[in-house]
Amino acid sequence: MDKFSPVGEKEITRAIVSEFTTEFNEYVESDCIIVGGGPSGLVAGRDIARAGKKVVIIERNNYLGGGFWSGGYLMPKVTVRHPGEKLLDELNVPYKVVSEGLAVCDAPHACASLIAAACDAGAKIFSLTFVEDIVVREDKRIAGVVVNWSPINHLPKEVAALDPVPLETKVVIDATGHEAEVVKKLVQRDMLKVKGEGALWIEKSEEAVVERTSEVYPGLIVAGMAVASVYGLPRMGPTFGGMLFSGRRAAEVALKIAKGSQDG
Ligand code: 48F
């Protein structure tokens, strides 16, 4: 084995600090911010980055993937109903067709491949960062999000009053899952009404979620389970094709909006 280069502590610390701050500074303004790095957010991030746009995925955890690491009941097997396997093919994830129209794969393999695909495409990741509010312009359009370090949520109240920072963007995607955290900021201010997620019904849910993936408020798109929460659609439980295709649909809508703001 070659000898390790004689690089010391100060160079290592400087590399971390300067690379992080340079990148953060660059992404204070972007084409798209995706809040939530679960399956729908990751597919959206990959597709938007592949279209050559500047996109950042903000994830409150130290890891990406959301609910995609496990298939249901803590068992690491992910199911997709046809045509969901087409996305597994794109990601080179092996799967087994267990009955007509139903494929099963290893959750960690699918999740890790999707994360890698989003990063390979050029999506930037801000992890351990949570979105605590939105930026709204006087023309009633979402123009960014307000972020802070996630660990702040675990500090005692007396020291937790630490100001966040805003980021500007052309379009925001709420991919925060069942909680629809970004949408909530509009609901709290009576700027939007939502229905709340319906009971589980897989056959109805997946198509409906993909179809209703759309701009819910100027500059804000919903993707994944957030769509079910906004429109009162049934939840789909332990199957993921609808999440993956909802992310794809969200990217299509975001690219149209970004193009419109570029043309206009
Ligand atoms: O929950 P999640 O996986 O969302 P999704 O893409 O997929 C849902 C499925 O996993 C599953 C299902 C369908 O089969 O029912 O639940 O809709 O990922 C959401 C991600 O958003 C992050 C959260 O940590 C998770 O990784 N998140 C939530 N709120 C915030 C956030 C926030 N305020 N700021 C940053 N990240």
Side-chain angles (χ1 to χ4, degrees):
M1 191 197 120
D2 288 346
K3 279 194 108 190
F4 284 108
S5 299
V7 175
E9 289 80 6
K10 61 180 182 301
E11 287 89 356
I12 287 173
T13 302
R14 278 192 189 121
I16 295 169
V17 174
S18 67
E19 284 306 301
F20 176 78
T21 46
T22 303
E23 191 170 277
F24 194 82
N25 203 16
E26 200 184 313
Y27 279 81
V28 161
E29 195 182 4
S30 61
D31 293 315
C32 179
I33 288 176
I34 299 170
V35 189
S40 65
L42 287 166
V43 171
R46 174 178 185 246
D47 284 5
I48 293 168
R50 273 159 70 98
K53 298 293 175 193
K54 198 171 162 188
V55 55
V56 56
I57 300 174
I58 298 178
E59 170 54 56
R60 68 182 169 192
N61 289 330
N62 194 17
Y63 58 89
L64 292 161
F68 204 35
W69 287 108
S70 108
Y73 202 58
L74 294 184
M75 290 182 280
K77 293 285 179 191
V78 154
T79 65
V80 293
R81 301 187 306 146
H82 175 75
E85 79 287 351
K86 291 185 179 173
L87 262 153
L88 299 180
D89 285 333
E90 262 184 52
L91 299 170
N92 285 320
V93 175
Y95 55 83
K96 185 169 158 190
V97 177
V98 288
S99 61
E100 204 185 326
L102 181 62
V104 183
C105 65
D106 287 337
H109 196 156
C111 194
S113 301
L114 179 53
I115 294 167
C119 295
D120 287 346
K124 286 292 162 215
I125 315 292
F126 292 168
S127 55
L128 279 174
T129 301
F130 75 103
V131 167
E132 63 162 63
D133 211 343
I134 42 176
V135 177
V136 183
R137 295 270 185 256
E138 63 279 0
D139 58 358
K140 297 219 164 57
R141 147 157 226 101
I142 308 276
V145 297
V146 183
V147 298
N148 217 333
W149 296 110
S150 298
I152 281 177
N153 287 322
H154 305 285
L155 291 175
K157 251 198 182 144
E158 308 79 61
V159 284
L162 298 165
D163 264 336
V165 289
L167 305 174
E168 288 190 31
T169 195
K170 291 178 186 146
V171 58
V172 176
I173 299 178
D174 184 345
T176 59
H178 301 264
E179 299 302 318
E181 295 271 351
V182 185
V183 163
K184 251 187 211 163
K185 300 295 157 196
L186 291 168
V187 173
Q188 284 162 1
R189 297 182 171 100
D190 277 335
M191 293 161 76
L192 191 70
K193 287 215 180 326
V194 299
K195 293 202 164 147
E197 187 180 84
L200 196 148
W201 187 359
I202 290 175
E203 287 244 24
K204 273 264 175 224
S205 169
E206 290 207 281
E207 246 124 40
V209 163
V210 178
E211 257 164 41
R212 302 296 295 270
T213 299
S214 56
E215 192 178 25
V216 277
Y217 190 88
L220 178 65
I221 296 166
V222 271
M225 285 317 291
V227 179
S229 299
V230 168
Y231 294 111
L233 306 175
R235 52 186 298 200
M236 69 195 58
T239 197
F240 286 83
M243 295 296 96
L244 302 174
F245 282 113
S246 171
R248 176 143 289 173
R249 178 80 162 246
E252 288 163 6
V253 180
L255 289 170
K256 245 186 229 160
I257 295 171
K259 186 167 186 309
S261 68
Q262 195 182 344
D263 297 346

